[in-house]
Amino acid sequence: IFRNSSIWPIYPTSEKKKLTVRNNNKGDFEGPKIESYTFAPQEIDITNSSKVVTVAAHVTDESGVGDIPIVYIQKSSNSSATQQTGYLKRISGDAKDGLYEVQITIPQGLESGEWEVFSNSFYDIFRNSSIWPIYPTSEKKKLTVISK
């Protein structure tokens, strides 16, 4: 039997209205740390052919990386026509200290200019996240694309 109630939500009637949760374990409440995030080459010419850009990330986490993000390479002023993507994969190390890499092909003839290189967050096994978005830690932050 259901009755309409004008009192919602219903709170405890006792004097104590909140639950205290204690956790004596050390726990891991920090997201993965991005030690480095780079791409190469830093300039490509796609006038006559497609080119491959390699994006690499060195990531550490106390409990271990659980979810690995997608990488985006795009010209921000025209992302719908230029966006290229790929998923990072661990190529060395382990979930607690690993090197991740992806190779993304930039098709011939797309728009020239300065393109962004970035990723979504990494997550550890407890769903703690790294920074978002992840941008290159190298001195050069954008990919130079030449197309004549």
Side-chain angles (χ1 to χ4, degrees):
I1 299 175
F2 294 98
R3 296 184 341 179
N4 289 337
S5 174
S6 61
I7 303 172
W8 188 90
I10 299 172
Y11 292 100
T13 55
S14 64
E15 200 172 294
K16 185 170 179 165
K17 306 226 185 298
K18 294 184 179 179
L19 173 68
T20 301
V21 177
R22 289 194 172 103
N23 181 352
N24 294 328
N25 294 329
K26 179 184 172 204
D28 176 8
F29 304 104
E30 299 293 323
K33 182 178 179 192
I34 311 304
E35 303 291 342
S36 66
Y37 186 86
T38 60
F39 65 94
Q42 295 185 344
E43 180 178 295
I44 58 172
D45 185 338
I46 55 171
T47 302
N48 298 315
S49 64
S50 300
K51 296 291 189 286
V52 173
V53 176
T54 301
V55 179
H58 176 204
V59 182
T60 58
D61 187 79
E62 180 181 324
S63 60
V65 170
D67 291 336
I68 303 166
I70 192 169
V71 173
Y72 300 88
I73 301 178
Q74 66 189 31
K75 185 170 184 182
S76 60
S77 64
N78 194 7
S79 61
S80 62
T82 60
Q83 186 178 85
Q84 305 300 309
T85 62
Y87 280 95
L88 289 160
K89 293 183 177 133
R90 189 170 59 238
I91 59 166
S92 67
D94 58 28
K96 293 183 178 185
D97 187 351
L99 182 60
Y100 301 81
E101 189 176 277
V102 63
Q103 292 186 334
I104 298 175
T105 300
I106 309 301
Q108 174 186 352
L110 291 183
E111 190 174 345
S112 62
E114 295 297 306
W115 290 32
E116 294 179 309
V117 179
F118 65 96
S119 298
N120 293 331
S121 298
F122 279 82
Y123 287 87
D124 68 16
I125 61 171
F126 297 115
R127 298 295 298 154
N128 299 310
S129 67
S130 68
I131 58 168
W132 180 88
I134 303 168
Y135 289 111
T137 56
S138 55
E139 192 173 311
K140 184 161 171 38
K141 307 291 185 200
K142 295 191 176 190
L143 171 68
T144 301
V145 176
I146 300 165
S147 182
K148 299 175 185 171

